[in-house]
Amino acid sequence: MTEPLVLLPDLLCDARYFGPQLAELSADYTLMTVPLGTSGRMSDLADMVLARAPGQFGLIGAGLGGVVAMEILARAPDRLSRLALISASPLQESPFGAMAYEPMLVTARSGRLAEVVSELFGVSEEEAEGQLLPLLQDMATNVGLSAFVNQVRALQRHRDMQSVLRKATCPVQVICGEDDALIPVKRHQVMTDFLTDGELSIIPQAGHVPTLQNPEAVTQVLRHWVSRPLQLRH
């Protein structure tokens, strides 16, 4: 595989979400991380990524970045050589799920943006005492309130992506933490089942942020993913 890899982080995250993978893979691949948060519409975010990305590329999206990646798949499937989705769901937000973001926005607007991180990422009490939570909070502060509002609005409004994934012809790697309480393993399994060329990797000792909770395992899966042969397009 010679195409560059474009990486799209989750909401309230910057390139450090993929820090261990960037460090390990940069010697062998051209990597590009695109921040998300310039618009409250998923279509605008997808168009922004497409405008910055090379003509042909592999795409890795996590959480919000995974939904943007699915929108890119819908808009420009011929530009994607392969797709990896980490801790991401194709399902449209339910009214209840969409409303659950509103108290977080109230907290963030009151100057306590870092306080919403634990809930957003399902950080356990044990992890809160380690290095993960401070890193997530620092990324959140770096991303900022305005981008967070845009990211939430994009997630609240996005369309269901299941039909988009069913039409995917490129190799799709689905990655999830075995202890992900926000998007359980079963949902990732269902998503993988209707992919034409899909594989699921369940990362042990990881929750909703497997790239940082078990980085070595995620990097190994991504190396396997980039080695998978491409299907001929019709």
Side-chain angles (χ1 to χ4, degrees), residues 52-207:
R52 297 187 184 186
Q56 192 82 16
F57 59 98
L59 184 59
I60 304 171
L64 165 69
V67 183
V68 176
M70 291 180 242
E71 182 68 32
I72 291 171
L73 176 64
R75 302 171 84 81
D78 291 340
R79 291 184 61 182
L80 296 186
S81 60
R82 60 192 70 236
L83 173 66
L85 302 171
I86 303 173
S87 304
S89 172
L91 300 180
Q92 186 176 26
E93 287 284 359
S94 67
F96 178 79
M99 284 301 298
Y101 288 108
E102 295 303 323
M104 299 183 202
L105 291 176
V106 172
T107 300
R109 285 174 169 141
S110 68
R112 295 176 293 146
L113 179 61
E115 292 183 21
V116 308
V117 169
S118 293
E119 183 178 359
L120 273 176
F121 294 99
V123 177
S124 67
E125 293 183 7
E126 181 180 348
E127 289 174 321
E129 297 175 357
Q131 298 179 351
L132 177 62
L133 183 58
L135 175 57
L136 291 171
Q137 290 176 328
D138 193 59
M139 286 193 288
T141 301
N142 183 50
V143 171
L145 176 61
S146 177
F148 179 51
V149 173
N150 282 336
Q151 292 172 342
V152 166
R153 296 304 180 219
L155 283 172
Q156 288 174 322
R157 299 165 178 163
H158 84 80
R159 56 177 170 148
D160 190 281
M161 296 292 184
Q162 293 179 89
S163 62
V164 173
L165 289 181
R166 290 180 189 275
K167 298 175 184 176
T169 58
C170 65
V172 181
Q173 184 69 54
V174 179
I175 300 173
C176 70
E178 66 174 350
D179 300 319
D180 190 340
L182 302 181
I183 306 177
V185 170
K186 186 174 181 180
R187 287 216 342 231
H188 290 91
Q189 289 172 330
V190 171
M191 177 169 65
T192 309
D193 286 344
F194 59 67
L195 290 166
T196 300
D197 187 9
E199 290 186 6
L200 171 65
S201 292
I202 302 170
I203 306 300
Q205 300 177 340

